[in-house]
Amino acid sequence: APGFIDLHAHGQLPENYRLQAQDGVTSTLELEIGVNPVAPWYAERAGRSLIHYGASSGHVAASMTVLSDTGTFLPRDAATRLRPTPAQMEGIESLVRRGLDEGAVGIGLGIAYLPQSSRQEIYDLFRLAAARQVPVFVHMRHAGVTDPGGVLEALQEVLSDAAATGAPLHIVHINSSSGPLLPVSLQMIEGARRSGLDVTTESYPYTAGQTRLDSAIFDDGWQEKFGITYKDLQWVATGERLTAETFARYRKQGGTAIIHSMTEDMIRLAMSHPMVMIASDSFLSEGKGHPRSAGTFSRVLGRYVREQKALTLMDAIRKMTLLPAQRLEKAVPAMRTKGRLRVGADADLTLFDPDRVLDQATFDHPARPSQGIVHVLVDGVFVVRDGKLVEGVAPGRPLRRPS
């Protein structure tokens, strides 16, 4: 197959690249949260990356800088509590604009992590995306079934902004954002596409998500919104399920939790829907994290294609290769030679055994490499050969907009 393209990967470090390569991934992009500043991020990986890499210009990181938030990857204080003044909004947009000047793939909007962001601020960033002819990659403002304040309201916001500005829109992890309302969310996106909007979406093949416990996601009302309680949260560092007491302590401390909030039927629907791409939403550090960091693509091929027959092999490959490449290729011309097997395309190749391919990572052991991925080539260079990582190679190249 063409090498798999992951549009939603937060683990942009060698540990994660190795596991992704063993899962058949040849291109990995940080598009939902993005980065800011952009140029140093690309420079840090130049000539050192096992697989291809790229990022959006991140609204979250820009907001954290302007509002002096003390968080690292996600906001944890000032940026979650303060609504930017007009001058601060201009400063945030200026940083996002500079990231685009430095070659970012698009604009990353993690609206849920910046609950004080006004609708005007988000609309203005859609206008910027439209002017620069780049996609916006959006974690919507709300999730879950509450109304108002749930996924349908949030989906209406971003579809309206896309319609009003003409900005290309990609909605991340429609599975975890929608919960039981996933069929309705998919109907709304389908309707927007039939009406001419350039909107796409993605899902990962697991019934649990992951994010930081100290983020705005877990502000008041999260239990009702997601239909879960403390026991459905799993502390990544220890594997323990939480109680009210440990939730309060770990939230104050800061760190990552697994969120067990979805059903198998939801995931099967997302996997089988023809317009839903596959993306991992992955992050793993020192062997701790979510199994999707190591097993997303093999899980689709083994569990949902071979075992459950929820979709065909060719449909699965299309969701992992051609569709992600087409999502990016208007802004990033290099993507026109990825996601395809043909003369003249880049030699990013994943060779797997369809009778054996399967994820091996679990919530208790999230860093186990997949099985059945036999060879992986990046730009014609073996990075996985006979099922084993190749040492001492770094063929990955930057995926970015031309200046």
Side-chain angles (χ1 to χ4, degrees):
F4 304 151
I5 300 169
D6 192 347
L7 296 182
H8 189 166
H10 301 303
Q12 296 286 329
L13 294 169
E15 175 185 11
N16 294 265
Y17 290 168
R18 289 192 293 269
L19 286 168
Q20 285 192 293
Q22 291 174 286
D23 199 33
V25 175
T26 57
S27 298
T28 179
L29 298 105
E30 164 59 273
L31 300 181
E32 175 210 26
I33 300 300
V35 302
N36 206 290
V38 168
W41 186 89
Y42 276 101
E44 182 180 353
R45 287 155 181 79
R48 305 176 184 176
S49 179
L50 191 67
I51 57 181
H52 304 311
Y53 54 93
S56 67
S57 183
H59 176 231
V60 166
S63 298
M64 291 168 65
T65 297
V66 170
L67 297 173
S68 301
D69 192 277
T70 64
T72 52
F73 176 59
L74 293 175
R76 61 174 301 169
D77 40 56
T80 69
R81 299 193 306 263
L82 302 177
R83 172 159 292 191
T85 66
Q88 288 171 329
M89 286 172 58
E90 176 54 37
I92 293 167
E93 185 171 328
S94 177
L95 290 179
V96 174
R97 192 181 303 113
R98 186 179 72 184
L100 293 176
D101 293 339
E102 294 171 350
V105 169
I107 297 176
L109 294 180
I111 311 174
Y113 297 107
L114 298 168
Q116 297 303 317
S117 294
S118 68
R119 281 161 175 75
Q120 172 77 54
E121 182 179 1
I122 301 304
Y123 170 72
D124 287 344
L125 290 166
F126 269 76
R127 290 182 63 217
L128 174 61
R132 294 295 187 92
Q133 298 182 312
V134 298
V136 284
F137 302 92
V138 181
H139 183 147
M140 294 182 288
R141 186 180 298 274
H142 306 300
V145 299
T146 53
D147 188 16
V151 64
L152 300 187
E153 178 182 308
L155 187 51
Q156 288 169 344
E157 177 188 10
V158 295
L159 291 176
S160 295
D161 285 350
T165 63
L169 167 63
H170 183 79
I171 299 167
V172 304
H173 50 51
I174 194 65
N175 52 323
S176 57
S177 292
S178 298
L181 292 175
L182 178 61
V184 183
S185 295
L186 293 175
Q187 288 171 9
M188 291 173 66
I189 295 171
E190 286 178 317
R193 287 166 61 89
R194 285 195 301 270
S195 298
L197 289 191
D198 183 2
V199 54
T200 54
T201 193
E202 66 181 48
S203 174
Y204 49 81
Y206 294 86
T207 58
Q210 173 183 292
T211 195
R212 288 192 65 88
L213 202 63
D214 48 329
S215 73
I217 295 291
F218 290 103
D219 287 349
D220 292 343
W222 61 270
Q223 293 169 292
E224 178 186 7
K225 179 180 295 185
F226 296 112
I228 60 175
T229 187
Y230 300 108
K231 65 179 176 58
D232 298 307
L233 303 178
Q234 185 176 1
W235 189 238
V236 163
T238 63
E240 69 188 282
R241 295 296 184 114
L242 300 190
T243 64
E245 179 185 2
T246 54
F247 173 86
R249 181 168 76 249
Y250 289 143
R251 183 160 160 79
K252 184 176 181 180
Q253 171 187 321
T256 306
I258 305 291
I259 310 166
H260 295 274
S261 63
M262 291 167 277
T263 68
E264 181 63 28
D265 286 343
M266 293 179 203
I267 303 306
R268 192 178 298 108
L269 171 61
M271 293 300 100
S272 63
H273 197 287
M275 75 174 176
V276 178
M277 302 176 201
I278 308 302
S280 69
D281 192 5
S282 61
F283 176 78
L284 186 140
S285 178
E286 297 181 353
K288 300 286 188 179
H290 193 297
R292 63 192 179 189
S293 302
T296 287
F297 295 87
S298 295
R299 184 175 179 83
V300 173
L301 295 171
R303 181 179 179 87
Y304 292 100
V305 173
R306 184 179 66 246
E307 295 178 358
Q308 297 191 11
K309 296 180 173 53
L311 70 167
T312 68
L313 178 60
M314 291 306 295
D315 281 343
I317 291 173
R318 182 175 62 93
K319 289 163 167 278
M320 301 173 178
T321 59
L322 182 61
L323 291 186
Q326 290 175 329
R327 171 71 283 177
L328 299 180
E329 63 188 20
K330 290 181 182 178
V332 184
M335 299 306 296
R336 296 171 188 162
T337 54
K338 298 190 184 299
R340 293 97 162 158
L341 290 180
R342 69 182 184 202
V343 174
D346 292 342
D348 298 336
L349 304 170
T350 295
L351 290 83
F352 63 93
D353 181 348
D355 295 325
R356 194 169 63 88
V357 64
L358 191 65
D359 60 310
Q360 297 296 294
T362 66
F363 289 104
D364 292 327
H365 302 283
R368 286 177 175 168
S370 296
Q371 70 176 31
I373 302 292
V374 182
H375 306 303
V376 179
L377 293 90
V378 174
D379 202 24
V381 176
F382 279 96
V383 297
V384 174
R385 191 162 197 164
D386 296 323
K388 297 181 180 179
L389 283 169
V390 177
E391 299 296 332
V393 297
R397 290 181 289 147
L399 302 171
R400 63 197 306 177
R401 293 168 55 249
S403 59

